[in-house]
Amino acid sequence: MSKQIDSGSLMPYIRFRTSRSGGSGGQHVNKVETRVTLSFDVDAAGIFSDEEKARIKTRLQNRLQADGAVQVNSQEARSQLENKEIALKKLVTLLRLALQPIKPRKATKPSKASVRARLETKRKRALRKIDRRKDWE
């Protein structure tokens, strides 16, 4: 799926909330709301098909809120505007990764050398433990 996802097409489905950020910054941190929490309503987003919405929900289930919105936080910058931009970039990246198809795993066998090495170390360990035993007779 090569759907073009950009922040402009997502904006109608996004809500921003601000709060005071933690960390260093002195008085500035204590009086300015620079942390940004972005909520993206997956169900309301008309740019995704039902299949894509389901894929997004399963891949991003650890970020989903009770109402089905994806939540992204940003408090890296000291400016609210920069944090909004960072949060938008994070959301776009998350959605792009969530929509990528999963590559099927190819089953492989261990090489003969690795099997031989594993069995050899197992045999040595067993012999070492046998040597530690005391004869209680």
Side-chain angles (χ1 to χ4, degrees):
M1 295 186 190
S2 60
K3 182 172 279 211
Q4 190 63 27
I5 301 172
D6 61 342
S7 56
S9 61
L10 300 175
M11 286 308 285
Y13 314 106
I14 292 176
R15 284 188 324 271
F16 290 104
R17 249 185 16 251
T18 59
S19 59
R20 281 183 274 180
S21 183
S24 60
Q27 289 180 349
H28 182 74
V29 162
N30 297 331
K31 62 184 181 180
V32 181
E33 293 194 350
T34 55
R35 176 194 292 146
V36 173
T37 302
L38 176 150
S39 293
F40 173 69
D41 193 356
V42 179
D43 292 324
I47 59 172
F48 298 119
S49 67
D50 290 337
E51 178 187 312
E52 290 170 332
K53 288 178 187 178
R55 182 179 284 169
I56 289 170
K57 284 183 173 184
T58 54
R59 294 262 184 95
L60 300 178
Q61 64 187 3
N62 58 336
R63 288 184 177 266
L64 279 180
Q65 301 300 302
D67 61 351
V70 175
Q71 182 171 315
V72 177
N73 294 313
S74 175
Q75 62 178 2
E76 286 92 50
R78 289 187 63 175
S79 144
Q80 190 181 101
L81 181 63
E82 283 182 56
N83 280 330
K84 281 184 179 180
E85 292 169 357
I86 292 169
L88 273 171
K89 286 179 186 174
K90 282 182 182 179
L91 176 68
V92 169
T93 304
L94 282 172
L95 291 175
R96 282 188 182 144
L97 289 174
L99 290 174
Q100 281 183 352
I102 300 172
K103 278 198 283 187
R105 183 185 178 279
K106 294 179 184 174
T108 59
K109 287 192 334 188
S111 66
K112 287 183 180 179
S114 67
V115 171
R116 203 174 303 121
R118 181 182 61 83
L119 292 175
E120 181 61 27
T121 57
K122 188 175 176 180
R123 189 182 65 79
K124 285 181 182 176
R125 195 176 308 115
L127 288 174
R128 186 181 312 137
K129 289 184 177 187
I130 289 170
D131 287 344
R132 287 185 195 154
R133 286 186 195 159
K134 293 181 181 176
D135 291 328
W136 293 97
E137 295 175 23

